[in-house]
Amino acid sequence: MAERIISSPQNPYVKLIKRLRTRRGPGRLGKALVEGVRLVEEAISSGAEVEFFVRSRSFEDESCLERARSLGVPVLVLEDALFRDVMDTETPQGLAAVCATRLLSSEHLPEGDLFVILDRVSDPGNLGTIIRSSDAAAADGVILLKGCADPYGTKALRAAMGSTFHLPIIKADTVEEVAGHLRHMGVMLLAADLEGRDVFAVDLRIPVAFVIGNEAHGISPGVKHLVDEVVRIPMPGGAESLNAAVAASILLYEAIRQRRAGGSL
């Protein structure tokens, strides 16, 4: 498909991109702005539904452009100054794509034995990092309860480094929507909190779903009431708490460690 040169900031495509930069834009529109060569390539490789590509006039990576053109969707060319103006990153690489978002409902929760449930994790950087760690740990899905940041916001996408396109992301208003499905699969729900049983003494070789709470307030009372057990990560040092993304990563890799160890914790 032939490229189309756009120079006006009032162009409908440009206006759409600007809306997708806003905090609420991607979730509301069902589209996401994917910036940078690596993230665009990850989106293409994962089979994401690309609606159109955007490149700056000076972008010259022909192999990347040929791959984009092969999908048969529009490729828009923006003057460099306009491209920099509409992108979210301070130093854009010259290539972006607008893709349809892929969020599953609780009715389409996949089968599995390792999940992460996020309860009002509102920082997009934390959210994206948790998605990245979950992907690295081969988790079967990340479940977002009401109040979480948008996984398809530009900051969350950058923090996830392409992992958003690799694993199921499920949206649910409440933990009740997914608790029944998970327990039917034999999955135990474990809430991470400052008070609870030492997680290193908990058998994580069975199917588990780790619940990670809000950065400032932790797990909400309603969610904590529904989990099977509350666990804590021991902190023998002077820190009072751990970053939500760090806590999620530790829990995921403790599960991996135990499962690889076989018979012993």
Side-chain angles (χ1 to χ4, degrees), residues 30-53:
K31 307 176 193 298
L33 175 63
V34 180
E35 296 186 52
V37 173
R38 178 175 176 179
L39 289 186
V40 169
E41 289 181 339
E42 291 284 357
I44 295 172
S45 298
S46 70
E49 183 183 342
V50 179
E51 299 191 2
F52 61 90
F53 294 96

Side-chain angles (χ1 to χ4, degrees), residues 55-59 77-86 92 94:
R55 75 170 180 90
S56 64
R57 185 182 282 274
S58 63
F59 184 78
V77 183
L78 273 60
E79 297 295 343
D80 288 6
L82 180 58
F83 188 90
R84 287 193 300 270
D85 181 59
V86 299

Side-chain angles (χ1 to χ4, degrees), residues 104 108-116 134-135 137-143 166-170 182 185 187 207-208 252 259:
L104 301 178
H108 296 94
L109 187 71
E111 295 286 326
D113 63 4
L114 184 61
F115 294 89
V116 176
S134 300
D135 180 26
D140 297 293
V142 176
I143 301 165
H166 297 167
L167 78 169
I169 300 177
I170 302 96
L182 291 169
M185 292 188 285
V187 177
V208 293
L252 286 164
R259 293 173 184 191

Side-chain angles (χ1 to χ4, degrees), residues 124-135 155-156 159-160 243 245-246 249:
N126 278 337
L127 177 62
T129 302
I130 292 170
I131 290 172
R132 185 178 180 184
S133 293
S134 300
D135 180 26
K155 290 182 175 62
N243 171 276
V246 171
S249 301

Side-chain angles (χ1 to χ4, degrees), residues 16-175:
L16 172 61
I17 293 169
K18 287 183 176 180
R19 287 184 67 191
L20 293 176
R21 285 175 47 186
T22 66
R23 183 176 179 183
R24 298 179 181 273
R28 184 175 64 244
L29 299 174
K31 307 176 193 298
L33 175 63
V34 180
E35 296 186 52
V37 173
R38 178 175 176 179
L39 289 186
V40 169
E41 289 181 339
E42 291 284 357
I44 295 172
S45 298
S46 70
E49 183 183 342
V50 179
E51 299 191 2
F52 61 90
F53 294 96
V54 187
R55 75 170 180 90
S56 64
R57 185 182 282 274
S58 63
F59 184 78
E60 296 180 343
D61 187 333
E62 276 303 318
S63 63
C64 191
L65 287 173
E66 282 303 316
R67 193 175 183 197
R69 292 171 185 138
S70 69
L71 295 183
V73 300
V75 179
L76 311 180
V77 183
L78 273 60
E79 297 295 343
D80 288 6
L82 180 58
F83 188 90
R84 287 193 300 270
D85 181 59
V86 299
M87 292 297 136
D88 188 62
T89 51
E90 291 186 10
T91 54
Q93 296 178 1
L95 182 68
V98 169
C99 305
T101 58
R102 295 191 299 194
L103 293 174
L104 301 178
S105 64
S106 56
E107 291 80 12
H108 296 94
L109 187 71
E111 295 286 326
D113 63 4
L114 184 61
F115 294 89
V116 176
I117 301 174
L118 303 184
D119 177 22
R120 302 170 301 147
V121 173
S122 58
D123 181 88
N126 278 337
L127 177 62
T129 302
I130 292 170
I131 290 172
R132 185 178 180 184
S133 293
S134 300
D135 180 26
D140 297 293
V142 176
I143 301 165
L144 310 181
L145 304 184
K146 189 174 182 179
C148 285
D150 186 348
Y152 284 97
T154 52
K155 290 182 175 62
L157 283 172
R158 286 200 297 273
M161 292 293 288
S163 290
T164 309
F165 304 109
H166 297 167
L167 78 169
I169 300 177
I170 302 96
K171 289 211 69 171
D173 284 338
T174 65
V175 71

